[in-house]
Amino acid sequence: MNNRKIRVVVAGKGGVGKTTLTALLAHAFSRRGMPVLAVDGDPQANLAATLGIPASHPITPLTEQKAYIQEKIGGVPGRGGFMVLNPDVADVADRFAIPAAEGVRLLVMGGVQNAGTGCLCPEYTLISTILASTGYFPDEVILLDTPAGLEHFGRAVAEGFEYALIVTDESYNARAVARDLSRLARQCSIRQVILVVNRVRNGLEKPDIIGEMEGLFQKVWLLPHDSCITRHEPSVIPAVLDHCPIVGNIESLAGYILAHC
Ligand SMILES: Nc1ncnc2c1ncn2[C@@H]1O[C@H](COP(=O)(O)OP(=O)(O)OP(=O)(O)O)[C@@H](O)[C@H]1O
Ligand SMILES: [Mg+2]
């Protein structure tokens, strides 16, 4: 293994398991002794609960850190005006990331109105600058959980990430979204675009799906449906402590990522 940073963006249709996968991978990398920064890029912001942070823990998303936005970007919240478009945000994780578990910290981005249109407001400028600056953060592994679907996935989100994990289930619609995301990920010059087929029932032999997707992805990875996850949700920690079946598969996926960096 070399000392390169491992930056992974997780994307896919709604409800396919993006946040669960992000949280399980965060724990898998941290168990290997690698400091992890998990970034919640979904305005719905449920990565904290999935990582095991209690709901009572107060979290102010970055888009609501008005003083920081003013300090770094200027401009008028929600509108624009005179803004610094390329600020130094290397301090953002040290100032605002929340400890989630041993070796894992969490940065919650929050929502931006009209983010899909790439609005020129200070909040959007902050978020896109942070995502472009992850190489300056000290954490060895950066995992970015994204909102559902295609419309938020673009250069401002994914450029600079070496890995895209495109998550799907076995459904036709989720696979169609995954195919479109593979194209977008390649347009963002992401080197390793991996399809993760989640919640697979009746064994991990799916030659039809693997065959259909093989040319579009560097690798197709199958994860089992694991009732352990739903039994313990929202947190994945009990599933990790109980050595639930999916945890071994996630360990192997982390190993695959490390072997291909
Ligand atoms: N392998 C699995 N086995 C069983 N249940 C799973 C598995 N993966 C995820 N789930 C369950 O599926 C549901 C959706 O998972 P999750 O919230 O991670 O999806 P998501 O893609 O992040 O959703 P959203 O698009 O809303 O952000 C949750 O109830 C979760 O516990
Ligand atoms: Mg999610």
Side-chain angles (χ1 to χ4, degrees):
M1 197 180 80
N2 59 35
N3 287 328
R4 284 191 51 197
K5 283 203 167 60
I6 299 188
R7 286 177 292 183
V8 184
V9 55
V10 181
K13 189 176 181 297
V16 290
K18 298 177 292 297
T19 304
T20 306
L21 174 63
T22 306
L24 286 169
L25 270 177
H27 289 294
F29 282 116
S30 78
R31 272 200 308 281
R32 289 170 182 253
M34 305 179 74
V36 175
L37 177 68
V39 181
D40 194 345
D42 184 352
Q44 303 249 309
N46 42 27
L47 184 54
T50 313
L51 281 168
I53 297 174
S56 55
H57 192 296
I59 298 177
T60 307
L62 282 171
T63 51
E64 289 170 30
Q65 298 285 1
K66 304 293 181 208
Y68 186 75
I69 294 174
Q70 188 60 41
E71 172 191 332
K72 295 289 176 176
I73 315 280
V76 181
R79 297 232 310 276
F82 181 76
M83 292 191 291
V84 179
L85 292 179
N86 206 1
D88 178 1
V89 292
D91 62 350
V92 71
D94 288 341
R95 281 171 70 171
F96 300 113
I98 305 151
E102 180 75 36
V104 181
R105 53 187 191 155
L106 168 69
L107 198 57
V108 177
M109 295 294 205
V112 178
Q113 267 188 349
N114 305 324
T117 61
C119 73
L120 273 177
C121 56
E123 295 89 334
Y124 183 81
T125 304
L126 177 75
I127 284 184
S128 43
T129 308
I130 290 168
L131 291 174
S133 308
T134 53
Y136 299 109
F137 300 160
D139 316 77
E140 278 181 61
V141 181
I142 316 268
L143 300 173
L144 170 64
D145 185 21
T146 64
L150 298 165
E151 57 272 27
H152 300 282
F153 193 91
R155 291 196 185 283
V157 171
E159 202 146 23
F161 283 74
E162 295 88 15
Y163 298 86
L165 297 182
I166 309 294
V167 190
T168 182
D169 54 25
E170 294 183 68
S171 72
Y172 179 88
N173 286 341
R175 275 153 48 197
V177 171
R179 277 194 292 275
D180 286 342
L181 281 166
S182 85
R183 183 175 39 79
L184 293 177
R186 282 199 306 273
Q187 282 171 8
C188 295
S189 308
I190 295 180
R191 203 164 45 79
Q192 281 273 335
V193 186
I194 300 169
L195 180 71
V196 177
V197 187
N198 189 26
R199 291 199 303 239
V200 173
R201 293 178 188 266
N202 306 323
L204 293 181
E205 301 299 315
K206 299 284 166 183
D208 50 334
I209 297 184
I210 294 173
E212 165 196 321
M213 297 293 198
E214 229 164 19
L216 296 173
F217 297 89
Q218 265 84 20
K219 178 84 183 162
V220 180
W221 200 275
L222 286 84
L223 294 175
H225 176 89
D226 188 345
S227 54
C228 208
I229 292 290
T230 33
R231 194 164 60 246
H232 291 302
E233 69 179 356
S235 171
V236 297
I237 288 182
V240 172
L241 295 177
D242 281 3
H243 304 288
C244 293
I246 197 172
V247 173
N249 299 76
I250 298 282
E251 295 282 352
S252 308
L253 176 56
Y256 176 87
I257 291 171
L258 285 173
H260 290 81
C261 65

